[in-house]
Amino acid sequence: MSELLHHPPAAGGPPPKVEILAESPGVAPVPESLVARSILVTLPPGSPGAPPHRHPGPVYAHVVKGAITFELEGAPERVIRAGEAFFEPGGDVIHYKGANHLDDEESALIATMICEPGAPALTLVGDEELAARKHLRAPR
């Protein structure tokens, strides 16, 4: 993998610095005709973000401003700050929280999701399903 991080320098200049910010833990089988969709999400000060939901496919995201309180099914809540990245597997996994961690300034992230053309960016999860899957949520 280290060969991915080394690029030849442009003529007369130093080589670029390349850092892996997020990487999926494995490769999932996917249909042949997918799209990569990048979106900018800007959260006003104190915004709770979207209610619990799912994404149609894997998501790679990078916080570009502020800090996001983030929680995925099976993982503890954590704060992701500007300059940090995260990965979501999408599919069946519930995204519980993606809130602005800051009460006095906006936060923003750029997310790239892999999905079928026309798929919604997210699908809300109802109270009945949340109750049925409560045992899969990390202790809080």
Side-chain angles (χ1 to χ4, degrees):
M1 169 113 71
S2 62
E3 65 274 1
L4 295 175
L5 300 179
H6 299 289
H7 297 276
K17 180 179 179 184
V18 178
E19 299 176 69
I20 294 174
L21 298 176
E23 187 170 75
S24 68
V27 177
V30 292
E32 287 183 21
S33 59
L34 297 177
V35 296
R37 179 186 301 150
S38 292
I39 59 173
L40 172 63
V41 178
T42 303
L43 298 164
S47 172
H53 59 274
R54 290 189 171 88
H55 297 289
V59 177
Y60 295 87
H62 181 232
V63 177
V64 295
K65 182 179 182 181
I68 306 293
T69 305
F70 180 77
E71 183 188 359
L72 277 183
E73 186 173 66
E77 183 176 294
R78 63 189 172 121
V79 176
I80 303 169
R81 300 185 186 288
E84 298 176 341
F86 60 92
F87 170 76
E88 293 185 53
D92 192 46
V93 177
I94 296 174
H95 180 164
Y96 279 98
K97 187 180 281 188
N100 187 344
H101 187 70
L102 307 175
D103 290 327
D104 57 348
E105 62 182 89
E106 70 181 17
S107 292
L109 62 94
I110 295 173
T112 299
M113 64 181 61
I114 310 301
C115 59
E116 293 182 3
L122 60 83
T123 302
L124 297 181
V125 177
D127 292 338
E128 187 174 307
E129 185 178 0
L130 289 172
R133 294 175 68 111
K134 185 177 179 180
H135 66 286
L136 298 173
R137 193 170 187 182
R140 299 167 22 114

